[in-house]
Amino acid sequence: MSMTIGDAFARLTRGGMPVRFTAFDGSETGPEGAAIGLHLRNERGLAYLLTAPGDLGMARAYVMGDLDVSGVHPGDPYDLLVLLKDNLRFWLPSPGDALSILRDLGPGRLRPPPPPRQEQLPRWRRTLEGLRHSMARDAEVIAHHYDVSNHFYELVLGPSMAYTCALFERPDASLEEAQAAKFDLVCRKLALEPGQRLLDVGCGWGGMVRHAAREYGVRSLGVTLSLRQAQWAKAAIDREGLGDLAEVRHLDYRDVMENGFDAVSSIGLTEHVGVRNHRAYFTHLRERLRPGGRLLNHCITRSHNRRQETGPFIDRYVFPDGELIGSGSIIRAAQDAGLEVQHSENLRQHYALTLAEWCRNLETNWDECVAEVGESTARIWGLYMAGSRIGFERGELELHHVLATRAAETGPAPFPLRPDWRP
């Protein structure tokens, strides 16, 4: 009797499938009556699963619509991912099982189909085609992620257009309240006052630039590598009548040569810089500050300081060339660049809450999001945000604020005996 697809996957998964799995050949495996199910629709999906066992193969089949999910919404597949993360383990079959699977399913199914169009080349192929973290290559990968569609981001992020961790001062705070609280905390940590100058690197759609100008009377300059972000931010600045205080440029942060800024904020840029470049990055930002000025670095970090590449799904579909490291390495790089680190804070739990809100927006606006960017891209975003939420909930990922100062000409920068901002 020939092996069915369900039989094959029962053998390839240690402990069996934790969800109900059905396939186009009529076979099935996994617990009967399960609340969540996976259905393999066609031969191409099977080839994806067999030629890239694990997360990447499942992602390819799911993104292409060859693997359907029931019991969860594609805008927020959180419950499915928790179940798979806790219970699904692929393992190498014995030689006998491998031969049986190959014979019964057919060797032709081991020919990899073309990957989804959204998938970037593997890391090693990209390295052959351009120096990692060169200005040109950084511009390409930023465009890959951020130039999807401004309207799509409006639907997912909400009116704030803030694509970074929010600050929930109370559990029932709205996403908009939490994003405003985040920007305000950064402003307070930087001790901004009317008339001062702020540089915001990696400014996105200009949320920090506009908040600092509107609420603190600060002359704010933001720079972003995304042309669409810069265009949206400029329009928002004009709409709010902030043109005399706020400016956003389409520019690499390394090309900012002005100096004498009272404060520098970097909210979500460090992840794109590259760990080997952190000292040069902090050195460049230090040189933009006046003596005594403050720098606030807000970035995703790991729970350890070992070098570790991002997984294939995140690297190929979400943040090509993105690199994360622990807060200890971030602090060391800042210190090695001549900055005095004054304070560090972990906002890990807040990012889990932020991602849950973004998934809720994606689910609520699913049809419009699909109309804007296509179902495959919308599915990628649901996977990425729900999976990231799990990482922050479980402490695999963290979010750190690191506040530092540039020394004054006569010695260390003056700093209060206790923090001068409200926690």
Side-chain angles (χ1 to χ4, degrees), residues 205-366:
W205 291 271
M208 177 64 189
V209 167
R210 288 180 286 120
H211 187 94
R214 182 179 60 247
E215 304 298 331
Y216 288 81
V218 171
R219 288 178 291 150
S220 306
L221 169 63
V223 296
T224 173
L225 267 178
S226 167
L227 178 59
R228 291 190 184 183
Q229 285 183 334
Q231 292 170 335
W232 193 98
K234 289 176 183 178
I237 288 169
D238 291 341
R239 245 186 349 260
E240 296 182 26
L242 296 172
D244 59 333
L245 288 175
E247 179 188 1
V248 168
R249 299 177 191 168
H250 177 221
L251 192 68
D252 192 297
Y253 79 94
R254 289 164 285 195
D255 286 330
V256 177
M257 292 294 112
E258 292 107 315
N259 53 29
F261 288 95
D262 297 283
V264 173
S265 55
S266 175
I267 306 175
L269 172 62
T270 318
E271 299 89 332
H272 302 287
V273 167
V275 174
R276 288 189 177 91
N277 301 321
H278 281 173
R279 181 174 177 177
Y281 157 78
F282 280 115
T283 297
H284 184 79
L285 298 187
R286 176 188 174 276
E287 291 172 352
R288 308 282 71 78
L289 279 169
R290 65 165 174 80
R294 294 187 184 188
L295 163 70
L296 190 286
N297 195 81
H298 164 130
C299 73
I300 300 171
T301 54
R302 293 200 183 277
S303 58
H304 56 76
N305 290 285
R306 301 183 298 277
R307 291 291 297 274
Q308 179 179 329
E309 301 280 10
T310 54
F313 173 73
I314 292 294
D315 181 64
R316 297 194 197 187
Y317 285 90
V318 184
F319 290 116
D321 294 347
E323 294 182 70
L324 303 178
I325 197 70
S327 61
S329 294
I330 298 289
I331 290 172
R332 180 178 62 189
Q335 291 173 327
D336 288 347
L339 292 161
E340 183 177 4
V341 173
Q342 304 286 1
H343 187 266
S344 177
E345 180 177 8
N346 184 7
L347 300 176
R348 173 186 63 78
Q349 298 176 82
H350 295 264
Y351 217 155
L353 294 171
T354 304
L355 286 156
E357 291 296 322
W358 289 343
C359 281
R360 186 173 294 112
N361 286 343
L362 178 57
E363 180 176 348
T364 299
N365 299 305
W366 180 255

Side-chain angles (χ1 to χ4, degrees), residues 55-131:
D55 296 347
L56 186 59
M58 293 188 74
R60 286 171 172 169
Y62 177 71
V63 166
M64 292 297 286
D66 300 333
L67 183 65
D68 280 339
V69 176
S70 60
V72 295
H73 192 282
D76 188 7
Y78 172 82
D79 290 339
L80 168 66
L81 296 185
V82 168
L83 199 58
L84 296 180
K85 185 176 180 66
D86 289 343
N87 300 284
L88 183 60
R89 298 289 182 272
F90 286 99
W91 66 311
L92 292 175
S94 67
D97 277 348
L99 287 173
S100 297
I101 293 170
L102 181 63
R103 181 188 66 245
D104 292 344
L105 296 187
R109 287 164 165 166
L110 296 180
R111 185 178 300 113
R117 63 176 177 79
Q118 294 90 346
E119 183 173 317
Q120 293 288 292
L121 293 170
R123 191 178 279 111
W124 67 270
R125 286 279 303 277
R126 296 198 304 270
T127 299
L128 292 177
E129 296 186 3
L131 184 63

